[in-house]
């Protein structure tokens, strides 16, 4: 990664959760990167490198209890709070790129007024219920555990977490959005991409095959498509 970088520990003002932010490059054209559940900011390093090579600067972060950030518990509202806080500190951003839960967080933040010109979501699920169900299935756990997980999240934040669903947030968003998803993503079924696309009037679908949920982040064709989308 570019040597001209700054790493900083920050405390989110509302939740008092810690995040670690990463700033790369010194261009006035800034892009925000948002990792997914169990990820970290550096997970999108290949995308960040290519953005730097194309004249952009990059801001990324480790969400609470992820990467270098302290904590033992995290959830989507903390991701969203981090997005808004980093926009206040380092924005405005030309675009926001989110992977998986990070994509859901980007959509919700845009719905709440994040002033980006474009958004890109990669391997993004359409609901918290779906996320918990697929998590349980992948670990071959009993189905009722997904129900209990969802109920725990609802109680923790005092609302139905499906209010944060990708298609719920996406509905009515007018800025261009590139929706990237792989047909062989076993963590998030590709149907989520189509469901989100259906309610976004200015969205584009880019469907790949053979890359899964994580290798898609380093694929040259995917990254070139993202760069072209941002520059257009």
């Amino acid at each position: 990664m570019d040597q001209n970088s700054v790493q900083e520990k920050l405390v989110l003002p509302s939740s008092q959760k810690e995040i670690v932010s990463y700033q790369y490059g010194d261009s006035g054209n800034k892009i925000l990167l948002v990792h997914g559940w169990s990820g970290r900011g550096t997970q999108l390093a290949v995308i960040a490198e290519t953005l730097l090579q194309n004249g952009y600067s990059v801001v990324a972060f480790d969400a609470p209890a992820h990467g270098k950030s302290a904590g033992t518990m995290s959830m989507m509202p903390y991701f969203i709070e981090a997005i808004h806080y980093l926009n206040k500190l380092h924005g405005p951003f030309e675009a926001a790129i989110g992977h998986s839960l990070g994509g859901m967080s980007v959509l919700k933040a845009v719905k709440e007024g994040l002033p980006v010109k474009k958004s890109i979501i990669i391997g993004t699920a359409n609901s918290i219920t779906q996320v918990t169900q697929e998590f349980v299935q992948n670990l071959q756990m009993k189905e009722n555990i997904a129900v209990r997980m969802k109920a725990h999240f609802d109680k923790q934040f005092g609302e139905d977490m499906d209010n944060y669903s990708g298609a719920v947030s996406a509905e009515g968003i007018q800025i261009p959005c590139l929706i990237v998803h792989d047909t062989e993503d076993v963590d998030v079924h590709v149907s989520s991409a189509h469901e989100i696309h259906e309610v976004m009037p200015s969205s584009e679908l880019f469907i790949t095959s053979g890359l899964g949920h994580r290798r898609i982040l380093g694929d040259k064709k995917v990254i070139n498509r993202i760069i072209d989308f941002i520059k257009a």
Side-chain angles (χ1 to χ4, degrees):
M1 185 61 73
D2 189 283
Q3 291 183 352
N4 183 20
S5 63
V6 177
Q7 179 177 318
E8 186 177 13
K9 285 187 178 181
L10 301 168
V11 177
L12 300 177
S14 179
S15 65
Q16 293 298 299
K17 296 292 183 180
E18 178 188 287
I19 64 170
V20 174
S21 68
Y22 306 89
Q23 303 160 55
Y24 303 100
D26 55 8
S27 169
N29 296 319
K30 302 174 183 179
I31 308 295
L32 177 66
L33 304 183
V34 186
H35 69 80
W37 185 258
S38 76
R40 58 176 61 210
T42 53
Q43 193 174 20
L44 289 81
V46 181
I47 296 175
E49 288 278 9
T50 310
L51 286 167
L52 289 171
Q53 292 165 9
N54 281 269
Y56 296 94
S57 59
V58 175
V59 175
F61 67 95
D62 294 338
H66 289 74
K68 295 182 180 179
S69 295
T72 57
M73 193 273 284
S74 192
M75 195 50 197
M76 188 173 161
Y78 302 147
F79 282 65
I80 297 165
E81 184 184 0
I83 290 170
H84 286 302
Y85 189 50
L86 289 171
N87 178 70
K88 181 179 179 180
L89 293 178
H90 302 297
F93 296 103
E94 294 288 312
I97 303 174
H99 174 238
S100 196
L101 188 75
M104 292 177 69
S105 301
V106 165
L107 290 176
K108 182 66 171 175
V110 172
K111 186 81 166 184
E112 294 175 346
L114 180 72
V116 292
K117 297 176 181 177
K118 295 181 179 180
S119 60
I120 298 95
I121 60 173
I122 307 168
T124 295
N126 188 34
S127 73
I128 296 297
T129 293
Q130 182 182 9
V131 169
T132 56
Q133 288 173 344
E134 291 176 343
F135 175 78
V136 166
Q137 289 170 4
N138 289 337
L139 293 181
Q140 298 182 333
M141 301 165 72
K142 294 182 179 179
E143 291 182 7
N144 69 332
I145 294 178
V147 176
R148 289 161 57 191
M149 287 176 62
K150 169 64 165 49
H152 171 75
F153 295 147
D154 290 351
K155 182 178 180 180
Q156 181 74 30
F157 292 97
E159 63 178 308
D160 184 351
M161 292 303 293
D162 277 336
N163 291 334
Y164 291 76
S165 295
V168 172
S169 298
E171 190 170 5
I173 291 178
Q174 298 299 318
I175 66 167
C177 179
L178 179 64
I179 303 169
V180 184
H181 215 112
D182 193 80
T183 58
E184 297 177 28
D185 188 329
V186 297
D187 290 3
V188 180
H189 195 272
V190 68
S191 59
S192 283
H194 293 279
E195 291 163 1
I196 295 170
H197 174 58
E198 286 177 2
V199 299
M200 293 193 79
S202 299
S203 64
E204 299 178 24
L205 274 178
F206 184 61
I207 304 298
T208 62
S209 183
L211 298 174
H213 190 63
R214 292 173 180 81
R215 284 190 295 119
I216 197 169
L217 297 175
D219 182 77
K220 183 177 292 187
K221 289 183 179 179
V222 169
I223 295 172
N224 287 341
R225 181 69 184 85
I226 290 171
I227 298 296
D228 289 344
F229 178 78
I230 293 173
K231 286 184 171 182

